Amino acid sequence: MAARLAGNVLATAATHHHRLQAPYHHHHHHLTTWSMTKDPSLESALSRNRRWIVNNQIKQILLRSPGRVSTVRSLQKRFKTLDLQGRALNWLNKYPCCFTVFTESPSTELLFGFSKRMFALIEEEGSVMEAQEPVMVRRLAKLLMLSRDHRLNVVKLNELNRSFGFPDDYLLRILPKHPNTFRIRNPIGRRNSMEIQLLRWQPELAVSAVEAVAMERGTEARFECALPLSWIKTREKFQEFNDRTPYVSPYAGDHRLEMESEEKRVVGVVHELLSLTLWKKLSIVKLEHFRREFGLPEDLRGMLLRHPCLFYVSNRYKIYTLVLREGYKGSELVEKDPLVVVKDKFGELMQEGLHEYNRRRHLVNLEKKRKKGEILVKEKKVEEKEEEVDSVEKREERKRFYKVLFDENP
């Protein structure tokens, strides 16, 4: 029953993905009018790299394949859906630290699977996921406690599951172990109306990130501005907002609040949602899908722009992303979830393999030129320059590589 239920949910998520994306096109012309001073550090943190996304998708293909092995031919057929051109074999050869290509016998076709190091990293990710399960349970409970009626649509939540660190099989992995906390309900009977409901309110979890910091310091709960002191006017406006009314806990509900207190509640809800994510960021378009569930205003975007001390809006690649400023120090996350650490390792392994591939290709090209008699007069200087680039720029590139956005559905 549980397996069938999860299968239905995953199928529904895929089927209705385009419906959830539709509002983007509707609001896009409004979004282009937004303006916020660019923050180079946060923009750097949000930089996306198509190679990581593609390799993550290839990883998922192998994980779903029998024996975690597939044919290069089958990957070639999927290249168009991965937005790629060229030969799949060439792509796999670029990442020898991640994938290995082989044949079982000379007469059989080419196969590919994980390298030993990649396999070890996947095992590590599995172990971390298992160890983090209690954290996932609390995170899911808190999300439901933030929502009206303490329930959320499964299809909508699937759009954000990676942002909150939930595995694709979280319905099977988490819910059956906690029958007194969660349940699946489907009052209409349609697959896309399936909901997760919280059965038991947990007072110990009804503490926001803002309240937790205040308790630690022994102070009154209030928002803190994460902008530099040089932003004098912005900080003054924020101070006024902070002082006008007391902090409203996002877990207190949204019943009959005055207008100013209502905005403080909404700001608190968005702040708490971002605090619960792995990378302290969310797609604004996807957040707007939850207006009713979290009591968000129609002009959510306008409200977000009024609070640059707390939130940063990026339109990198025309994908509007909301970032919690205090979650970062420069371009680095202040606190890294163990799952983020593992995903960083995947990026580093990928970059290492690509560097090795480029080094080998460079040596092969040099050898070809030698055989043709095209000996480079300044070859020694070129090699010295390569060495210098390798020792300095390569380290910096690796440092920046895939620091934040590992979510292929931003």
Side-chain angles (χ1 to χ4, degrees):
M1 173 67 182
R4 188 168 67 251
L5 178 64
N8 287 343
V9 169
L10 293 174
T12 305
T15 304
H16 296 277
H17 177 77
H18 68 284
R19 295 182 189 174
L20 289 176
Q21 297 301 317
Y24 175 79
H25 303 289
H26 177 69
H27 294 302
H28 182 61
H29 65 285
H30 298 300
L31 286 166
T32 54
T33 64
W34 286 25
S35 61
M36 182 171 273
T37 305
K38 295 292 181 189
D39 186 315
S41 295
L42 290 178
E43 288 295 325
S44 170
L46 288 172
S47 63
R48 303 171 68 234
N49 194 303
R50 182 64 187 160
R51 292 177 303 183
W52 193 96
I53 294 171
V54 170
N55 281 335
N56 195 50
Q57 289 172 326
I58 293 173
K59 183 182 90 169
Q60 296 303 322
I61 290 170
L62 279 179
L63 288 173
R64 290 191 293 266
S65 301
R68 295 180 176 180
V69 170
S70 188
T71 63
V72 174
R73 179 173 49 84
S74 67
L75 179 61
Q76 185 69 59
K77 287 179 180 178
R78 300 187 71 157
F79 248 39
K80 283 187 179 179
T81 62
L82 295 175
D83 262 350
L84 289 176
Q85 296 177 346
R87 295 178 63 199
L89 180 60
N90 290 347
W91 181 276
L92 294 170
N93 285 336
K94 286 182 181 180
Y95 304 99
C97 292
C98 298
F99 308 110
T100 178
V101 179
F102 61 96
T103 55
E104 291 181 338
S105 69
S107 59
T108 58
E109 62 179 319
L110 281 175
L111 305 171
F112 75 101
F114 294 122
S115 67
K116 287 182 180 179
R117 291 174 67 190
M118 185 67 173
F119 185 79
L121 191 55
I122 288 168
E123 292 294 306
E124 182 183 344
E125 185 178 14
S127 299
V128 169
M129 192 78 75
E130 194 173 333
Q132 288 293 100
E133 197 170 299
V135 178
M136 291 180 209
V137 171
R138 289 195 295 272
R139 197 174 288 146
L140 179 57
K142 284 172 80 75
L143 279 173
L144 293 168
M145 288 167 70
L146 284 170
S147 66
R148 286 176 174 174
D149 305 320
H150 312 314
R151 60 177 185 257
L152 289 170
N153 180 278
V154 169
V155 174
K156 284 187 180 183
L157 190 55
N158 280 347
E159 289 291 303
L160 297 176
N161 62 1
R162 289 192 180 100
S163 295
F164 292 105
F166 302 145
D168 290 338
D169 63 346
Y170 72 100
L171 290 175
L172 281 177
R173 187 190 289 259
I174 296 175
L175 268 64
K177 297 177 185 177
H178 303 275
N180 297 325
T181 304
F182 310 111
R183 79 164 176 178
I184 292 285
R185 65 190 299 273
N186 195 345
I188 302 175
R190 295 177 184 171
R191 288 197 303 180
N192 65 340
S193 65
M194 210 175 290
E195 296 175 329
I196 300 178
Q197 183 178 19
L198 184 74
L199 297 178
R200 181 171 57 90
W201 181 267
Q202 300 176 56
E204 70 277 11
L205 296 183
V207 179
S208 69
V210 172
E211 290 170 316
V213 169
M215 287 167 65
E216 209 173 281
R217 295 175 180 173
T219 59
E220 183 184 344
R222 59 190 284 117
F223 298 115
E224 291 187 9
C225 185
L227 284 173
L229 294 174
S230 56
W231 290 58
I232 298 170
K233 289 185 179 179
T234 304
R235 291 179 70 93
E236 283 176 357
K237 285 182 181 178
F238 179 74
Q239 190 69 31
E240 287 173 18
F241 170 75
N242 239 351
D243 293 341
R244 259 196 310 265
T245 57
Y247 173 79
V248 180
S249 172
Y251 297 99
D254 58 348
H255 307 295
R256 298 177 185 176
L257 291 171
E258 296 295 328
M259 189 175 292
E260 287 181 352
S261 294
E262 171 59 16
E263 177 156 338
K264 191 156 281 188
R265 181 199 69 83
V266 174
V267 169
V269 167
V270 175
H271 184 285
E272 183 69 358
L273 286 169
L274 290 169
S275 298
L276 291 172
T277 63
L278 296 185
W279 290 280
K280 311 308 173 197
K281 58 95 186 174
L282 278 172
S283 157
I284 292 174
V285 173
K286 289 180 182 178
L287 184 58
E288 286 179 324
H289 295 151
F290 291 89
R291 275 202 184 100
R292 185 189 63 80
E293 291 87 343
F294 295 123
L296 305 177
E298 280 297 317
D299 187 23
L300 174 63
R301 291 162 284 164
M303 188 214 72
L304 295 173
L305 288 177
R306 285 199 294 274
H307 300 285
C309 275
L310 298 173
F311 310 124
Y312 177 68
V313 177
S314 169
N315 64 346
R316 196 177 182 93
Y317 304 106
K318 296 183 180 178
I319 297 171
Y320 288 81
T321 305
L322 182 65
V323 184
L324 186 64
R325 284 190 188 269
E326 68 191 50
Y328 288 85
K329 185 176 182 180
S331 61
E332 295 289 328
L333 276 167
V334 174
E335 292 181 9
K336 283 192 176 183
D337 186 276
L339 282 172
V340 174
V341 174
V342 173
K343 289 177 186 292
D344 276 354
K345 288 181 181 178
F346 177 33
E348 288 164 8
L349 187 65
M350 220 186 90
Q351 183 69 352
E352 184 184 330
L354 186 59
H355 172 72
E356 176 63 21
Y357 170 81
N358 288 335
R359 189 184 68 82
R360 286 179 184 175
R361 190 173 61 175
H362 174 69
L363 293 175
V364 168
N365 287 339
L366 281 179
E367 186 60 30
K368 283 180 181 177
K369 287 178 180 180
R370 283 195 187 95
K371 286 180 179 178
K372 289 179 180 178
E374 299 173 10
I375 305 296
L376 299 176
V377 178
K378 296 181 180 179
E379 186 177 311
K380 189 175 180 182
K381 288 185 179 179
V382 170
E383 285 177 352
E384 283 173 0
K385 189 178 178 184
E386 281 283 324
E387 215 170 278
E388 185 184 335
V389 169
D390 178 63
S391 60
V392 181
E393 291 183 8
K394 180 172 71 86
R395 283 203 299 269
E396 286 304 308
E397 185 184 357
R398 282 188 184 178
K399 206 172 180 182
R400 296 191 302 267
F401 193 72
Y402 303 135
K403 289 298 179 186
V404 183
L405 256 174
F406 292 105
D407 182 354
E408 59 221 62
N409 295 311

